[in-house]
Amino acid sequence: MADKGIRNVTAVLLIGAVFSVATLAARLGAFHLPGNNQGYSPEQPIAFSHRLHAGELLIDCRYCHYGAETSRHAGIPASSVCMNCHTFVTDTLGSLRAEDERAKEEERKPNRMVSSELQKLYGALALDDEMKPTPDGVPAPIEWIQVHNLPDFVYFNHSAHVTANVACERCHGAVETMERVSQVEDLSMGWCVNCHRDVNRVGLAGRSVNASLDCGACHY
Amino acid sequence: MVDNTRKAYWKSLAQRDDGTIPLPVAGSEFQEVPESGGRGLTRRDFLAAAGFTFGSVALTGCNRAPVERAIPYLIQPEAIIPGRATYYASTCGACSAGCGMLVKNRDGRAIKLEGNPDHPDSRGGLCAVGQASVLGPYDSKRLQAPLLKSASAKWDAVDGEIVARLEAIRRDGGTVRFLSGPVTSPTMSRMIDSFLGTFADARHVTYETLSMSAIHRAHERTHGARVLPRYAFDKAEVIVGFDADFLGTWVSPVSFAAGWSAGRNADAPRFSYHVQFEGRMSVTGAKADRRIRIAPGELGLAMTHLASMLAHRAGAPFDSGSPAACPIDAHLLEELADRLWHARGKCLVACGSQDVDEQVLCNFINHLLGSYGATIDVQHPASPVENRYHNDDAVQDLLRELASGTVDALFIHGVNPVYDLPNGADLAQTLPKVETVVSFSDRVDETSRHATYNCPDHHYLESWGDADAGDGTIAFRQPTMLPLFDTRSVLESLSIWSGRKQAAQAIVRETWASRGLKPAARRGATHGTLPSTMVLQWCAPTRSASARSDRSRSSPFEPHSPCRMASSRSYSIRKPPCSTGAARPTRGCMRCPIQYRRLFGTITPAFRSRRLRSLVWPPATSSASTPATPRASSYPFSFNRVSTIRSSPSRSVTAGRRALASPTSVLNGSSEDRSWATTAWWERTPHRY
Ligand code: SF4
């Protein structure tokens, strides 16, 4: 009687073990300790390329992330900032050129080219392809997905770091090579503290610094 | 000898160890009893194994933090940087004192209020009520749209009905009443007057929950003018408070606290002596040098005894009748009388009672001590705004009118009389019978529940306005955030119903333009002067060419309300060194030792001993120069008058006891008081100080 009970229990446990291994295995690649989002690279509502803007066109990070020097948040640019250029630049250089050639061949005026991604930007501002307000359009801000996200119990200030000459890529990695931004560092507390220790030892951009190691500097 | 037949317990460690008492076997105390009863797997073993097996499934949850969205602006407003606060100078509207304040705004929301150090009256203070009022706009009970007969409606619909109704009243010469709290805003006052001016029979009635009516009426008797005097606590060396919580709630607590603490400076040669008589613990009592606990009903009695002691010293005739025995230790009172008498000309006796007789007695004491002209100013009373003098009698008249059904339309702004008034329950009965009741209340409360139309006013943090701080300082109020709900400024409502629609900002400007003040033409010019008042701030129009170069100063609300912080130079973040290191210290911050010291002085040993010596009475060295006794002939009113009242059996000094017995005694006593007052003896007496 007892032997049968044990056999049943063992069977149940075995099945459970197989099941959990099966579940885990599928997820093993994405496994992280809680709070560690290293490698996170969500798909954004608009396929904005940092490689193109920061890498190829060499636009300074702070042109768009204008709060980095003055605020705790670096800031996501408002759509009006995008429109500074994209009022005129409506498609990739390649497709504009191609359309030009095609127009020349067909001996007509080149059509206005608007990329599908930029259409989303104009749509958010309730503008049509000709940059005219659409009659029944309702402007709605773009909901970007936040990539680098610190927990609420930690205080981080961009301006303190940027004005102390910490380069953007030290925390954000080589963003100028990324088509879609992903989180490079794990943004863990150990990682923060190690950097604070390092710069206190070797200095930052040739100057000695005093990066705080106090708990209260970030947690209060 | 241990009895082995019974269970024995050891009583000391020595006894435990000597072996005479059998101890339980240590190992068998917590014995593991296999629960399954048989061999093999126990219940615990199973749970342990299952925990490991199935628990690993939970690990698969350790994956990604939830998706967070970052939603930027569509059009970037100037001056707003996410994560950075903007500061606006404005004026507190949580009570009628009108203190200056700085509003911290982040991401379009007011999040913290602090005192404005540049405000000449409040001098950087903000009381607890003011501090808490930042929660007001976010109150979940707020009305989010106007109500028409308790159903949510559009402004157009409400306006249409009200305008039609008012037209009918104008045509028929009907009766309109406007009930409000004390109105300290000149613009509000002007708008109410011009609105009521369009009716044949209209009246504005004011009252306040913390009524100062008794002080007005006492001064009417003793000085012939309904005034709320100005009190200079900084000039007083001996301060006596009779239930006057002047550091917490009385009249203008912030400016009084500033004055009071200025007179109690550890570094200054003198330090005021403060005695507080009160029945409940107040901030003021807690801060007093001596707090004397006294039943509210015995306040008048104690004052009578003090008055007769002082009158005796002054050689002034004062017949106190034969009052009951002094409710407190007579020696204490004698000592206090001595101190007061020594410091005459530098004393201040404040009384918070609602009883006119007690206030008259307080005036008498202050007069004996020569406080009028020294620490109490009746020549330049607290406010030139007429409606500050709220009048309890007028409210009762209004209630009678309402009950008799002669009022056609009643407007209620900023008060909740059904809740506040002693006979509010009667009002709740009569309100539904009034044909048109318009409430500006921001919520459905006991009074506005009976309103025909609820036209919620903006919260003061969302409004344009101005306030008279009471000392001649006019301070302006600007919106520090966009209105959260579909509310409307009362100024705009009144302008629409008067048939001349205007925006609230334009209305405020018009008030001051008509008094000769032009909005500052130049950016940066923030102070202007009026003939008799000082203008603290004036919001200049921002849409100027230099707007771009002046990013940090312009308002985030340009399209809606072209305003800006009056002067970011003086109102920018002030950062005094703060040893607590935590929150940004401000002058109102009591947690910060620096601020605390500034207000209450440093306690050094030398200071403490000096202070302790000063608390001893009589002082070791007698005061070198005693001020002259005021001559009896210079008294502005007859003591016999006072004494007659005091000694008449029905109006004996136990007036306070009556007040305790019946909360409406102040109101009941009003007719008697007035008949007494009609003798108008003061009109024959010139009052000069
Ligand atoms: S005393 Fe001043 S700070 Fe306090 S509520 Fe009144 S106006 Fe506001």
Side-chain angles (χ1 to χ4, degrees):
Chain A
M1 192 65 204
D3 284 351
K4 201 173 164 211
I6 292 172
R7 268 206 303 278
N8 286 347
V9 167
T10 317
V12 169
L13 287 184
L14 265 179
I15 294 170
V18 168
F19 171 70
S20 57
V21 166
T23 342
L24 261 182
R27 301 258 186 154
L28 221 50
F31 177 78
H32 287 282
L33 281 176
N36 178 359
N37 270 349
Q38 199 166 16
Y40 184 39
S41 175
E43 198 175 325
Q44 301 287 357
I46 296 178
F48 174 85
S49 166
H50 274 87
R51 180 199 54 73
L52 175 64
H53 290 82
E56 228 170 89
L57 302 173
L58 293 172
I59 299 172
D60 192 287
C61 308
R62 288 164 297 182
Y63 179 78
C64 302
H65 302 289
Y66 53 90
E69 274 173 321
T70 49
S71 166
R72 50 184 290 205
H73 303 302
I76 309 288
S79 310
S80 59
V81 176
C82 310
M83 291 302 282
N84 289 349
C85 301
H86 285 293
T87 314
F88 312 105
V89 183
T90 56
D91 205 343
T92 58
L93 192 60
S95 61
L96 287 178
R97 285 237 173 94
E99 169 63 15
D100 262 358
E101 309 239 300
R102 229 174 304 131
K104 215 178 276 170
E105 272 171 26
E106 297 169 16
E107 294 176 1
R108 60 174 167 85
K109 276 178 77 181
N111 288 332
R112 190 175 174 86
M113 301 295 294
V114 177
S115 87
S116 59
E117 293 304 313
L118 280 168
Q119 243 160 6
K120 295 181 197 166
L121 170 68
Y122 304 144
L125 287 157
L127 299 175
D128 61 14
D129 292 352
E130 305 290 328
M131 305 295 141
K132 302 262 159 34
T134 46
D136 46 357
V138 182
I142 301 162
E143 298 191 14
W144 299 97
I145 313 279
Q146 207 171 341
V147 180
H148 302 85
N149 194 8
L150 289 179
D152 289 346
F153 50 76
V154 62
Y155 176 84
F156 174 81
N157 192 325
H158 268 97
S159 69
H161 291 83
V162 174
T163 48
N165 280 328
V166 181
C168 305
E169 52 270 27
R170 187 141 181 179
C171 306
H172 293 290
V175 175
E176 70 276 13
T177 62
M178 298 179 194
E179 204 60 53
R180 190 161 95 198
V181 171
S182 74
Q183 178 174 331
V184 174
E185 302 292 347
D186 64 357
L187 304 187
S188 68
M189 188 175 98
W191 172 80
C192 292
V193 173
N194 278 344
C195 186
H196 275 216
R197 289 217 177 90
D198 286 350
V199 295
N200 280 350
R201 217 176 38 247
V202 302
L204 197 58
R207 278 190 302 146
S208 74
V209 289
N210 182 15
S212 178
L213 296 171
D214 256 9
C215 311
C218 315
H219 304 284
Y220 58 85
Chain B
M1 190 65 203
V2 181
D3 183 358
N4 279 334
T5 56
R6 276 196 285 149
K7 196 165 167 69
Y9 298 97
W10 50 269
K11 296 178 184 123
S12 69
L13 291 178
Q15 201 180 15
R16 183 190 68 177
D17 296 336
D18 69 4
T20 53
I21 295 180
L23 298 173
V25 184
S28 66
E29 205 171 353
F30 303 105
Q31 227 168 15
E32 187 106 344
V33 184
E35 287 169 34
S36 68
R39 56 209 160 91
L41 208 61
T42 63
R43 193 178 68 97
R44 288 178 187 210
D45 290 340
F46 169 75
L47 287 178
F52 277 114
T53 312
F54 297 110
S56 58
V57 178
L59 281 178
T60 59
C62 296
N63 202 336
R64 283 293 173 209
V67 171
E68 297 271 345
R69 283 165 210 283
I71 306 178
Y73 284 98
L74 267 178
I75 311 285
Q76 177 64 36
E78 272 188 69
I80 282 205
I81 296 174
R84 282 276 300 262
T86 330
Y87 288 77
Y88 295 91
S90 192
T91 305
C92 180
C95 89
S96 54
C99 301
M101 63 176 190
L102 302 179
V103 182
K104 181 181 187 181
N105 177 307
R106 201 148 82 187
D107 297 338
R109 296 279 182 272
I111 56 169
K112 184 78 180 80
L113 312 180
E114 289 296 354
N116 184 344
D118 291 352
H119 190 282
D121 192 42
S122 65
R123 293 178 248 178
L126 202 71
C127 81
V129 177
Q131 290 276 0
S133 66
V134 72
L135 298 175
Y138 313 112
D139 193 326
S140 58
K141 292 263 163 54
R142 269 185 83 185
L143 276 178
Q144 307 194 358
L147 300 183
L148 200 160
K149 303 202 174 72
S150 306
S152 140
K154 290 262 169 293
W155 278 106
D156 288 345
V158 175
D159 283 341
E161 288 207 12
I162 292 180
V163 167
R165 181 79 197 106
L166 293 180
E167 267 319 308
I169 293 175
R170 285 193 187 104
R171 207 172 45 238
D172 307 342
T175 313
V176 175
R177 297 287 178 263
F178 198 106
L179 179 63
S180 75
V183 176
T184 50
S185 154
T187 302
M188 180 69 181
S189 204
R190 177 178 78 91
M191 285 309 286
I192 293 175
D193 288 348
S194 75
F195 173 65
L196 293 181
T198 59
F199 300 96
D201 179 10
R203 192 145 45 83
H204 181 194
V205 180
T206 57
Y207 82 94
E208 187 168 36
T209 331
L210 301 171
S211 174
M212 296 298 135
S213 196
I215 299 181
H216 298 150
R217 285 166 54 189
H219 280 90
E220 188 167 20
R221 275 198 212 168
T222 57
H223 293 76
R226 275 186 94 87
V227 288
L228 180 64
R230 283 164 63 190
Y231 299 89
F233 282 88
D234 50 342
K235 294 195 195 128
E237 283 184 8
V238 180
I239 298 169
V240 183
F242 284 100
D243 219 0
D245 180 16
F246 57 82
L247 298 181
T249 52
W250 192 68
V251 185
S252 183
V254 172
S255 86
F256 291 164
W260 178 88
S261 51
R264 292 168 78 82
N265 187 347
D267 307 323
R270 68 189 176 79
F271 199 106
S272 68
Y273 180 78
H274 171 196
V275 182
Q276 184 79 358
F277 292 83
E278 59 183 16
R280 61 176 179 112
M281 182 58 103
S282 69
V283 182
T284 317
K287 283 270 148 223
D289 292 308
R290 175 161 262 156
R291 175 177 179 269
I292 297 172
R293 206 156 50 103
I294 186 170
E298 288 169 339
L299 216 55
L301 197 55
M303 289 174 80
T304 307
H305 279 275
L306 183 63
S308 75
M309 286 171 190
L310 288 170
H312 176 72
R313 283 167 177 72
F318 178 70
D319 176 12
S320 61
S322 43
C326 185
I328 59 165
D329 187 354
H331 294 298
L332 277 182
L333 215 54
E334 280 289 351
E335 184 201 309
L336 177 59
D338 263 346
R339 279 181 185 269
L340 283 168
W341 190 245
H342 264 81
R344 58 190 177 277
K346 283 173 274 174
C347 306
L348 179 46
V349 181
C351 178
S353 168
Q354 302 287 334
D355 187 292
V356 184
D357 288 341
E358 287 175 17
Q359 290 289 355
V360 168
L361 207 50
C362 174
N363 292 2
F364 174 49
I365 293 175
N366 273 323
H367 177 75
L368 287 179
L369 294 169
S371 312
Y372 283 102
T375 54
I376 304 181
D377 190 353
V378 281
Q379 300 290 77
H380 309 95
S383 169
V385 179
E386 195 63 12
N387 295 317
R388 202 183 180 100
Y389 307 134
H390 29 276
N391 188 337
D392 291 345
D393 298 345
V395 180
Q396 295 305 320
D397 286 346
L398 173 65
L399 295 195
R400 274 188 290 277
E401 273 184 329
L402 288 172
S404 67
T406 50
V407 176
D408 293 306
L410 174 67
F411 292 79
I412 304 174
H413 179 259
V415 285
N416 184 0
V418 172
Y419 180 79
D420 294 337
L421 291 181
N423 43 359
D426 303 342
L427 180 62
Q429 302 293 322
T430 48
L431 270 184
K433 293 182 202 133
V434 182
E435 198 176 333
T436 309
V437 180
V438 180
S439 166
F440 297 98
S441 173
D442 69 340
R443 68 195 60 219
V444 177
D445 57 25
E446 288 80 354
T447 307
S448 61
R449 174 179 311 151
H450 302 291
T452 339
Y453 308 102
N454 290 81
C455 305
D457 189 8
H458 287 331
H459 188 264
Y460 78 85
L461 287 171
E462 305 164 335
S463 345
W464 286 101
D466 48 14
D468 185 325
D471 66 342
T473 303
I474 305 291
F476 291 99
R477 180 175 300 141
Q478 60 176 333
T480 56
M481 56 195 277
L482 282 174
L484 292 177
F485 303 123
D486 188 16
T487 53
R488 187 171 71 190
S489 164
V490 58
L491 299 174
E492 285 173 23
S493 295
L494 290 181
S495 79
I496 289 171
W497 303 337
S498 318
R500 186 164 164 259
K501 184 174 175 168
Q502 266 181 308
Q505 189 192 12
I507 296 173
V508 176
R509 279 174 185 248
E510 196 178 271
T511 306
W512 294 99
S514 69
R515 298 189 190 190
L517 180 81
K518 295 275 181 306
R522 191 164 50 85
R523 285 176 73 84
T526 56
H527 292 67
T529 346
L530 286 177
S532 60
T533 49
M534 209 205 91
V535 175
L536 183 66
Q537 314 134 10
W538 185 255
C539 297
T542 38
R543 286 180 173 269
S544 64
S546 61
R548 286 199 73 80
S549 66
D550 206 9
R551 287 178 84 96
S552 64
R553 295 188 185 188
S554 55
S555 153
F557 306 127
E558 282 199 346
H560 168 76
S561 51
C563 77
R564 66 189 175 83
M565 220 161 73
S567 147
S568 51
R569 173 191 48 78
S570 50
Y571 303 130
S572 60
I573 316 158
R574 284 170 185 244
K575 244 189 180 169
C578 176
S579 55
T580 57
R584 185 197 323 289
T586 62
R587 286 175 64 176
C589 172
M590 291 298 189
R591 274 181 315 173
C592 172
I594 293 174
Q595 308 305 326
Y596 190 82
R597 226 177 289 137
R598 194 179 295 162
L599 271 182
F600 300 112
T602 330
I603 312 293
T604 60
F607 167 70
R608 179 173 297 153
S609 66
R610 189 154 64 86
R611 188 79 195 98
L612 288 179
R613 268 205 310 282
S614 81
L615 290 175
V616 177
W617 190 264
T621 51
S622 65
S623 151
S625 63
T626 27
T629 315
R631 280 178 303 113
S633 62
S634 69
Y635 295 154
F637 59 91
S638 141
F639 302 111
N640 294 326
R641 264 299 175 194
V642 177
S643 63
T644 324
I645 309 166
R646 290 289 133 200
S647 55
S648 78
S650 66
R651 305 193 50 78
S652 68
V653 281
T654 48
R657 284 185 199 277
R658 278 191 300 108
L660 201 64
S662 128
T664 52
S665 67
V666 176
L667 304 168
N668 295 341
S670 61
S671 54
E672 280 176 70
D673 293 344
R674 259 183 303 171
S675 65
W676 174 80
T678 47
T679 52
W681 46 267
W682 62 85
E683 282 174 3
R684 298 188 297 274
T685 322
H687 323 298
R688 293 275 176 271
Y689 288 99

